[in-house]
Amino acid sequence: MERKFAVVRWSEGEDFGKLSDIKTDAIRGYDDSKMDQDGNPFATYSAVIEWRHGRKQRGGWPHYRGTVIFVSATRFETIRKLNSLLKEEEPTELTKRASVAPQKYGDDSDSSTDIETQSQQAKKSKAPRRIDPAEEFLRLYGQSQPSSDNHNSPTQTVVELKQEIKDLKEENAKLKEIVLQDVPGLLLSLRNIIDSAAPPKRSRVEPTKALPALPGSPQSRSSSPCASSLSLPRSTLSSSTSVSPSLTGSQSSKVEIHPGTGVMVEKLAWAYAINANSATVFVRHLLTAVFPVEILLVSNLRGNKRGGGEARQPLDKNKLDAIYSATLEKWPGTQLSSIGSTINAKITELRSKSKNVGVYTAPH
């Protein structure tokens, strides 16, 4: 029987830390194989979940990350599990103070006086005692020694302070030695990495010069004139066309943009993407890193036909899902419609630049 209901704990958003019962179709990429026969996860199951609260927004439900705790085929079992979890998290019930009859109605004046006196004494005993700073200082640093050694206590304190200062100086010297030995090498290694990862500078008078292609990439297998003469900004083509000495096509030079998707990009392209200052810039970098330019020029998001133009091919669904998941992980709460609009806008920009590239002439 299909398990359609789940109990989740939100890790982000307005319901951070709270429990909710939802349908499993709200869990993005829900995988039932991660749950055992009783509905409990084999391990911590974190996923991106639609937050269906209130009225649905125009761009779709917002997405936040949460942990799947329990799944079931019936809502009854899900609600029962949710109630048991909430009961476990309830604070222990406070004991109620025993009620006391008003003293003005008592018959025995002596007993009432005794009760009042006891309550006043209890209040006085609970009142915090103000500590004199001078007394506290003397208690900590001026404890009296035997009469024969009273005149030595200030001297001992000075000796202890001098010894502590000496120890601190030795520790600072060791730290300074470590810094002088290790930090220059670390800075040199970091500078080498930055120099090797920096894309080569290109002149503005070279727009029609063929761009280098990665071994085994679609550019190396295609000889179309559009692909050979296309010249785009460095931020667009850095991930798919620029080659540095440290990135020679080996698998170690690539990173997976989202765990479990299998979609790999160059480390340099990923570095450009994660340093983006907005979700829009992040999506634009990832799009050109995941898909070759030749594919983007003949495709769009869904593969439909607009107006009287030619039909476009749809982009690979697995790679698109990876871009969506990576964006939602980096920028939680991003609307899905905003991601799709950014992808189509970037593709339109690439087509426009590919049409205008013919107006340039190669330098002689």
Side-chain angles (χ1 to χ4, degrees), residues 166-176:
K166 182 180 179 181
D167 295 340
L168 290 175
K169 287 183 177 180
E170 292 178 355
E171 185 175 357
N172 288 337
K174 292 180 180 179
L175 293 175
K176 183 178 180 180

Side-chain angles (χ1 to χ4, degrees), residues 7-50:
V7 177
V8 300
R9 185 186 298 275
W10 298 99
S11 304
E12 300 172 342
E14 298 181 10
D15 290 337
F16 172 79
K18 295 182 180 180
L19 295 169
S20 299
D21 63 296
I22 63 169
K23 291 185 177 181
T24 54
D25 60 1
I27 303 174
R28 185 170 182 85
Y30 170 70
D31 187 2
D32 194 72
S33 63
K34 295 184 179 180
M35 313 298 291
D36 60 15
Q37 187 176 1
D38 298 328
N40 300 310
F42 291 107
T44 303
Y45 185 9
S46 179
V48 177
I49 307 170
E50 291 182 356

Side-chain angles (χ1 to χ4, degrees), residues 29 70 113 127 144 271 357:
F70 178 77
T113 304
S144 61
V357 74

Side-chain angles (χ1 to χ4, degrees), residues 136-209:
E136 181 68 13
F137 179 82
L138 291 175
R139 185 179 66 81
L140 294 175
Y141 302 103
Q143 295 180 355
S144 61
Q145 302 292 334
S147 59
S148 60
D149 298 335
N150 281 342
H151 61 283
N152 294 329
S153 58
T155 305
Q156 292 179 355
T157 304
V158 172
V159 171
E160 292 176 357
L161 291 175
K162 288 183 177 180
Q163 182 63 34
E164 185 175 356
I165 293 173
K166 182 180 179 181
D167 295 340
L168 290 175
K169 287 183 177 180
E170 292 178 355
E171 185 175 357
N172 288 337
K174 292 180 180 179
L175 293 175
K176 183 178 180 180
E177 183 179 358
I178 293 174
V179 169
L180 292 177
Q181 290 179 355
D182 297 344
V183 171
L186 180 61
L187 293 176
L188 180 60
S189 300
L190 183 60
R191 183 171 182 177
N192 291 336
I193 293 173
I194 294 175
D195 292 342
S196 63
K201 295 183 179 180
R202 300 184 61 84
S203 173
R204 291 187 177 181
V205 298
E206 299 178 345
T208 59
K209 187 177 181 180

Side-chain angles (χ1 to χ4, degrees), residues 30 54 57 115 119 125 137 145 178 289 305 316 329 333 344 362:
Y30 170 70
Q57 301 180 12
I115 295 174
S119 63
S125 64
F137 179 82
Q145 302 292 334
I178 293 174
K305 180 179 180 182
D316 184 85
E329 182 178 10
N344 278 331

Side-chain angles (χ1 to χ4, degrees), residues 34-84:
K34 295 184 179 180
M35 313 298 291
D36 60 15
Q37 187 176 1
D38 298 328
N40 300 310
F42 291 107
T44 303
Y45 185 9
S46 179
V48 177
I49 307 170
E50 291 182 356
W51 188 65
R52 299 178 178 178
H53 181 74
R55 187 176 180 181
K56 185 176 182 180
Q57 301 180 12
R58 186 173 183 181
W61 298 103
H63 291 66
Y64 300 105
R65 186 163 291 279
T67 304
V68 181
I69 298 177
F70 178 77
V71 294
S72 174
T74 63
R75 177 160 234 132
F76 173 78
E77 291 290 335
T78 307
I79 296 298
R80 187 169 67 175
K81 180 68 174 180
L82 177 63
N83 291 335
S84 65

Side-chain angles (χ1 to χ4, degrees), residues 218-230:
Q219 290 92 325
S220 63
R221 297 191 297 268
S222 174
S223 59
S224 62
C226 180
S228 61
S229 62
L230 182 59

